[in-house]
Amino acid sequence: MKIGVFDSGAGGLSVVKSLLKHQLFDEVIYYGDTARVPYGPKDKNTIIRYSLEALEFFNNFDIDLLITACNTVSAYALPDMNAQSKYPVLGVIDPGVMALENRNINKEDPILIIATRATIGSRRYQDALEGLGYTNITALQTGLFVPMVEEGIFEGEILEATFRHYFIDTPTPKAIILGCTHFPLIGDTLQKYFDGKPLLIHSGEAIVEYLEARYELSSKDKVAELKIFASDNVAGLRKIADMWL
Ligand code: DGL
């Protein structure tokens, strides 16, 4: 099976990492819109327009399925993308919600969702979790983590100070939904900040769980061929891929 993975930039490589680790596909075509990242501070119409333009890129490849690794795109653009594509387009929000539901968490336990401004503003995670009966949800826009991760800051003083800035009033959650492609890279540090207690829900692992539950994905021993493309500085993106993957 040949799949596409779309992200606003480099962050979606965290999802590719999970897809490669679980060896589910023969070929993965990655496209990062590095010319226009970040999507998180943009408005809905812009996010949808950029996402539909990305579909045009994938028309050059004969893919069977497209995964939008980007939470921001998943929050707004899936209906339009699905209406215009020949193959299914899946996002990462429903898988993230399903992954949380599959963990042993009480409906009253504190759940923290962190994501971009656009994703939090869409209320996609909050509405889905409330619909399932979770009652103790905190949703925070933590966009500063995006450029920090892109700078290679995964731990240390600046990150600790940013944690304090965002989480000063946040009690230790039972689970944290890492609702942004970049956040798995600071997952360990974040867990330490909250004394190692919270369960982390990671979009990459969640989409694998979701695909395995819903698709007949034959054998699990495929070493996927990965092809990386970008709307700007593809060499830079390939260098990040070498580092992260
Ligand atoms: N990929 C985005 C997301 O997962 C984060 C980066 C951006 O703002 O474009 O929401």
Side-chain angles (χ1 to χ4, degrees), residues 7-9 11-12 37-41 69-73 116 119 146 179-182:
D7 183 51
S8 54
V37 68
Y39 283 15
C70 182
N71 281 263
T72 304
V73 170
T116 63
T119 301
V146 173
C180 171
T181 47
H182 290 60

Side-chain angles (χ1 to χ4, degrees), residues 176-188:
I176 304 177
I177 295 191
L178 303 172
C180 171
T181 47
H182 290 60
F183 299 172
L185 285 113
I186 54 167
D188 290 346

Side-chain angles (χ1 to χ4, degrees), residues 135-177:
T135 55
N136 193 350
I137 301 164
T138 304
L140 296 177
Q141 309 173 11
T142 57
L144 277 177
F145 295 145
V146 173
M148 293 175 92
V149 166
E150 296 212 343
E151 278 296 307
I153 299 171
F154 307 137
E155 57 188 359
E157 250 173 72
I158 302 176
L159 191 56
E160 295 289 335
T162 315
F163 285 162
R164 286 194 296 279
H165 167 72
Y166 284 130
F167 305 132
I168 191 84
D169 297 322
T170 307
T172 298
K174 181 81 179 177
I176 304 177
I177 295 191

Side-chain angles (χ1 to χ4, degrees), residues 41-182:
K42 297 191 167 68
D43 72 24
K44 178 181 171 183
N45 291 338
T46 307
I47 294 163
I48 293 175
R49 179 159 55 87
Y50 287 177
S51 303
L52 293 178
E53 286 170 17
L55 272 188
E56 285 169 29
F57 169 84
F58 285 102
N59 284 343
N60 299 315
F61 301 89
D62 195 18
I63 57 170
D64 303 300
L65 174 73
L66 178 62
I67 294 172
T68 65
C70 182
N71 281 263
T72 304
V73 170
S74 304
Y76 290 104
L78 290 186
D80 293 270
M81 291 175 89
N82 271 301
Q84 294 199 19
S85 76
K86 297 178 288 237
Y87 38 79
V89 182
L90 297 181
V92 287
I93 293 184
D94 291 342
V97 170
M98 187 196 89
L100 182 81
E101 224 194 335
N102 288 345
R103 304 297 177 275
N104 200 10
I105 293 175
N106 294 324
K107 295 283 157 80
E108 305 74 34
D109 283 337
I111 312 287
L112 174 63
I113 305 163
I114 53 173
T116 63
R117 186 173 77 201
T119 301
I120 296 295
S122 77
R123 289 198 48 89
R124 286 275 282 104
Y125 277 113
Q126 298 95 303
D127 289 346
L129 293 178
E130 282 170 17
L132 290 169
Y134 292 91
T135 55
N136 193 350
I137 301 164
T138 304
L140 296 177
Q141 309 173 11
T142 57
L144 277 177
F145 295 145
V146 173
M148 293 175 92
V149 166
E150 296 212 343
E151 278 296 307
I153 299 171
F154 307 137
E155 57 188 359
E157 250 173 72
I158 302 176
L159 191 56
E160 295 289 335
T162 315
F163 285 162
R164 286 194 296 279
H165 167 72
Y166 284 130
F167 305 132
I168 191 84
D169 297 322
T170 307
T172 298
K174 181 81 179 177
I176 304 177
I177 295 191
L178 303 172
C180 171
T181 47
H182 290 60

